[in-house]
């Protein structure tokens, strides 16, 4: 299998990174310079509001939007002084028992931990979505290539994604042999498997130098201020995703190419030659024939082999994915067999689409109903297997009696769709607008309301072209009757660059002056 990383940075406003396996797009990362990205950044913030009812505080960390910090994300160092000796021993033991443990159990109320004006070191763990501000945590983690530095935890560990117990024991042994400083915790990442002690030592030294720089900045500055910013998308993605099974990294920008090679020389000197400058005349993504596939990512309808399809609808609360059999038919017209084959193909594509679209939160998959319990469990297992390669944390529930599989996926930033698209100003994101007939009926009601005003003698109505045409052709008699009944003159005007629901009614008196309180605007 040929696996390549394609990095497109020719447009200064946007950077795109694609992972392609045998010509098939498997992962896509997009970052716009116009959209600020805070995830992973560390800030020294100040508590500006305390909400005991939800056990959370809002923190001003200097970006113009307050962040949300829940008590479950408050690290032990902030409340240990509030505990008794026995409580402190239990809390410290529990605190160091698991990395990344998030719980509000056995913690004091947040109103006792913080006061307005309290300074707190926080890291953004989730971007703000819609009207919600970014989600913060005091559990600081700084990723390197093979290790993650966690300053608040005095313990060494191994990523939970590394399942082999022998490998885990060996990595812990190597990590202890590096003699990390007291009071700092380290985790070996999955990329650290099969790496030499020298590689891990180099990564630890880099993280320790970085942490010393951060500590000096914390001591010298007052909140709110940024302390540490994550690398740009190119360096960040290579650091987190690059592995030995990637044959080449193609970059179409010379500056990014040089910067990436310099980064590789520091963290992965043996793999510098895998970074290559793309100098073709045709754009990089067009050369690999994935530009059209990227465009299809935003489509609601995703075709499957054999005539079946997925329909993906993204709402505020969840993502609904419906599996349609379409024209797919298994041999022998066996309905159960057809449903099983479609669902197995759909499970693979669902996992891929979720990664490509960066969908998060609650996801409900509506598979075609199957009666055979073996088939139901088979589809369930297939979906679990396919989401295992996802870097975001996922949890898949068992298939329900209605053929639904509910799952959750870690949401770190808004989905690709929400980052690139905006709600249509005509339909306000619903995907539908009123018909010309519906608008014409609404216009007639508005004209009756405006004409009934005592001082109105002239009414000017501004509409979309199609609505105006319908009104003049189908409602001419009714408009004439209205003019005679109310003693007014109605003028219909069309407007350009407006949506089908546009309606603006202005009213005037005998002197040609606008009548206050009679204007209607939609």
């Amino acid at each position: 299998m040929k696996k390549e990383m394609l990095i497109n940075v020719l447009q200064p406003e946007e950077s795109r990174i694609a992972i392609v396996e045998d010509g098939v797009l498997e992962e896509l990362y997009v970052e716009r310079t116009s959209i600020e990205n805070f995830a992973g950044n560390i800030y020294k913030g100040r508590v500006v509001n305390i909400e005991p009812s939800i056990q959370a505080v809002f923190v001003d960390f200097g970006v113009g939007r307050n962040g949300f910090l829940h008590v479950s994300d408050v690290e032990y160092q902030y409340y240990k002084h509030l505990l008794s000796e026995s409580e402190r021993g239990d809390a410290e033991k529990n605190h160091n028992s698991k990395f990344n443990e998030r719980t509000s159990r056995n913690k004091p109320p947040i109103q006792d931990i913080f006061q307005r004006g309290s300074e707190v070191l926080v890291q953004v763990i989730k971007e703000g979505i819609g009207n919600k501000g970014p989600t913060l945590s005091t559990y600081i983690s700084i990723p390197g290539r093979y290790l993650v530095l966690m300053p608040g935890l005095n313990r060494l560990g191994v990523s939970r994604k590394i399942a082999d117990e022998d490998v885990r024991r060996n990595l812990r042994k190597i990590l202890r042999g590096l003699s990390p400083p007291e009071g700092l915790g380290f985790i070996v990442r999955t990329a650290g498997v099969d790496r030499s002690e020298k590689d891990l030592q180099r990564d630890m030294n880099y993280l320790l130098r970085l942490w010393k720089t951060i500590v000096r900045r914390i001591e010298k500055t007052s909140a709110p201020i940024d302390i540490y910013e994550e690398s740009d998308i190119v360096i960040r993605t290579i650091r987190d995703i690059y592995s030995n099974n990637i044959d080449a990294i193609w970059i179409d920008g010379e500056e990014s190419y040089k910067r990436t090679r310099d980064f590789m020389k520091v963290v992965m000197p043996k793999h510098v030659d895998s970074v290559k400058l793309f100098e073709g005349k045709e754009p990089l993504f067009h050369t690999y024939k994935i530009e059209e596939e990227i465009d299809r990512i935003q489509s609601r309808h995703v075709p499957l082999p054999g005539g079946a399809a997925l329909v993906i609808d993204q709402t505020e609360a969840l993502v609904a994915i419906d599996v349609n059999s379409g024209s797919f038919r298994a041999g022998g017209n066996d309905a159960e067999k057809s449903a099983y084959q479609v669902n197995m193909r759909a499970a693979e594509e669902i996992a891929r689409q979720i990664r490509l679209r960066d969908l998060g939160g609650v996801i409900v998959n509506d598979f075609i109903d199957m009666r055979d319990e073996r088939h139901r469990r088979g589809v369930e297992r297939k979906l679990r297997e396919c989401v295992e390669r996802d870097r975001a944390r996922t949890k898949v529930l068992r298939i329900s009696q209605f053929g639904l599989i509910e799952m959750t996926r870690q949401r770190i930033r808004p989905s690709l769709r929400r980052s690139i698209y905006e709600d249509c100003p005509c339909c306000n994101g619903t995907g539908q607008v009123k018909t010309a007939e519906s608008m014409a009926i609404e216009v007639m009601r508005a004209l009756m309301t405006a004409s009934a005003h005592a001082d109105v003698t002239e009414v000017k109505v501004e509409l979309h072209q199609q609505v105006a045409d319908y009104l003049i052709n189908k409602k001419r008699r009714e408009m004439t009757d209205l003019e005679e009944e109310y003693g007014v003159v109605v003028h219909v005007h069309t407007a350009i660059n407006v949506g089908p629901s546009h309606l603006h009614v202005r009213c005037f008196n005998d002197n040609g002056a606008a009548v206050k309180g009679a204007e209607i605007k939609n």
Side-chain angles (χ1 to χ4, degrees), residues 440-510:
I441 295 170
E442 189 174 321
V443 170
M444 290 305 299
R445 294 194 188 109
L447 289 176
M448 290 174 66
T449 301
S451 301
H453 200 285
D455 299 329
V456 173
T457 59
E458 183 182 10
V459 180
K460 294 182 179 179
V461 57
E462 186 180 87
L463 305 166
H464 185 273
Q465 179 69 56
Q466 287 183 330
V467 181
D469 290 344
Y470 187 96
L471 201 67
I472 292 170
N473 294 327
K474 301 290 182 70
K475 293 285 186 179
R476 183 185 296 274
R477 181 178 293 278
E478 291 178 41
M479 288 177 60
T480 302
D481 292 343
L482 183 144
E483 288 177 320
E484 292 177 357
E485 181 179 352
Y486 291 96
V488 299
V489 178
V490 178
H491 299 283
V492 177
H493 300 279
T494 60
I496 60 173
N497 298 327
V498 297
S501 300
H502 178 77
L503 171 61
H504 188 189
V505 178
R506 293 174 294 165
C507 303
F508 303 90
N509 59 21
D510 287 333

Side-chain angles (χ1 to χ4, degrees), residues 374-389:
R374 291 176 303 166
H375 289 165
R376 293 163 67 85
R377 298 305 160 211
V379 171
E380 198 179 286
R381 285 194 300 271
K382 184 68 172 179
L383 183 58
R384 283 201 176 96
E385 289 170 6
C386 291
V387 299
E388 279 182 358
R389 65 172 294 174

Side-chain angles (χ1 to χ4, degrees), residues 93-263:
K93 183 179 179 182
N94 180 63
H95 171 69
N96 285 323
S97 64
K98 288 183 181 180
F99 284 109
N100 294 327
E101 184 175 25
R102 302 292 189 265
T103 177
S104 55
R105 188 178 54 199
N106 301 326
K107 290 184 179 181
I110 199 159
Q111 61 268 30
D112 294 343
I113 301 174
F114 294 113
Q115 297 177 340
R116 277 197 180 92
S118 297
E119 290 191 347
V120 57
L121 188 69
V122 293
Q123 186 168 32
V124 179
I125 58 175
K126 188 188 298 183
E127 296 284 3
I129 298 174
N131 295 323
K132 296 179 182 178
T135 302
L136 309 177
S137 175
T138 61
Y139 291 89
I140 305 300
S141 62
I142 305 171
R145 171 58 185 161
Y146 308 119
L147 303 174
V148 178
L149 167 63
M150 303 189 74
L153 299 182
N154 186 20
R155 188 171 177 270
L156 307 178
V158 178
S159 170
R160 293 173 182 172
K161 292 183 178 180
I162 302 174
D164 190 302
E165 280 301 322
D166 291 335
V167 173
R168 294 176 67 87
R169 278 194 294 270
N170 184 52
L171 288 172
R172 284 197 192 94
K173 182 180 178 181
I174 293 175
L175 200 54
R176 284 194 293 269
L178 299 180
S179 303
E182 284 290 325
L184 295 179
F186 285 91
I187 297 177
V188 182
R189 306 182 71 179
T190 52
V193 177
D194 297 328
R195 308 311 303 181
S196 67
E197 185 174 340
K198 185 178 180 181
D199 289 335
L200 297 182
Q201 182 69 68
R202 185 191 296 116
D203 207 38
M204 181 179 285
N205 293 341
Y206 160 74
L207 290 171
L208 290 174
R209 288 196 302 271
L210 179 58
W211 178 240
K212 287 179 182 178
T213 303
I214 290 173
V215 170
R216 285 197 297 269
R217 187 165 174 78
I218 292 170
E219 293 171 347
K220 291 181 180 179
T221 57
S222 58
I225 193 168
D226 64 302
I227 299 296
Y228 163 79
E229 290 190 8
E230 264 280 39
S231 307
D232 63 43
I233 186 173
V234 175
I235 300 301
R236 188 171 70 241
T237 304
I238 292 174
R239 180 195 69 197
D240 294 342
I241 294 178
Y242 181 81
S243 59
N244 293 338
N245 62 352
I246 294 180
D247 299 300
I249 301 174
W250 289 99
I251 306 177
D252 60 7
E254 192 164 349
E255 185 179 334
S256 290
Y257 165 74
K258 292 177 180 177
R259 192 155 41 86
T260 301
R261 283 185 65 89
D262 291 340
F263 173 75

Side-chain angles (χ1 to χ4, degrees), residues 232-354:
D232 63 43
I233 186 173
V234 175
I235 300 301
R236 188 171 70 241
T237 304
I238 292 174
R239 180 195 69 197
D240 294 342
I241 294 178
Y242 181 81
S243 59
N244 293 338
N245 62 352
I246 294 180
D247 299 300
I249 301 174
W250 289 99
I251 306 177
D252 60 7
E254 192 164 349
E255 185 179 334
S256 290
Y257 165 74
K258 292 177 180 177
R259 192 155 41 86
T260 301
R261 283 185 65 89
D262 291 340
F263 173 75
M264 294 289 276
K265 286 176 184 177
V266 174
V267 299
M268 292 171 279
K270 294 180 182 178
H271 299 274
V272 172
D273 291 338
S274 65
V275 182
K276 301 176 181 180
L277 179 64
F278 180 79
E279 298 178 294
K281 292 183 179 179
E282 191 179 26
L284 175 61
F285 280 24
H286 278 282
T287 300
Y288 279 80
K289 297 179 172 56
I290 61 172
E291 200 70 73
E292 290 182 9
E293 194 167 357
I294 292 174
D295 291 338
R296 287 199 298 270
I297 288 176
Q298 309 310 326
S299 174
R300 181 172 175 263
H301 185 272
V302 181
L304 296 174
L310 302 179
V311 179
I312 303 175
D313 288 310
Q314 192 174 346
T315 70
E316 191 70 27
L318 55 81
V319 177
I321 302 179
D322 184 33
V323 181
N324 291 335
S325 59
S327 60
F328 182 90
R329 295 293 181 272
N333 291 323
D334 186 331
E336 176 74 14
K337 186 177 179 182
S338 293
Y340 176 64
Q341 290 185 10
V342 170
N343 286 340
M344 291 294 280
R345 295 180 183 183
E348 288 186 39
E349 190 60 26
I350 284 171
R352 178 171 171 265
Q353 290 294 325
I354 287 172

Side-chain angles (χ1 to χ4, degrees), residues 38-49:
F38 304 117
N41 293 355
I42 300 172
Y43 299 88
K44 190 176 185 181
R46 180 178 286 112
V47 175
V48 293
N49 196 18

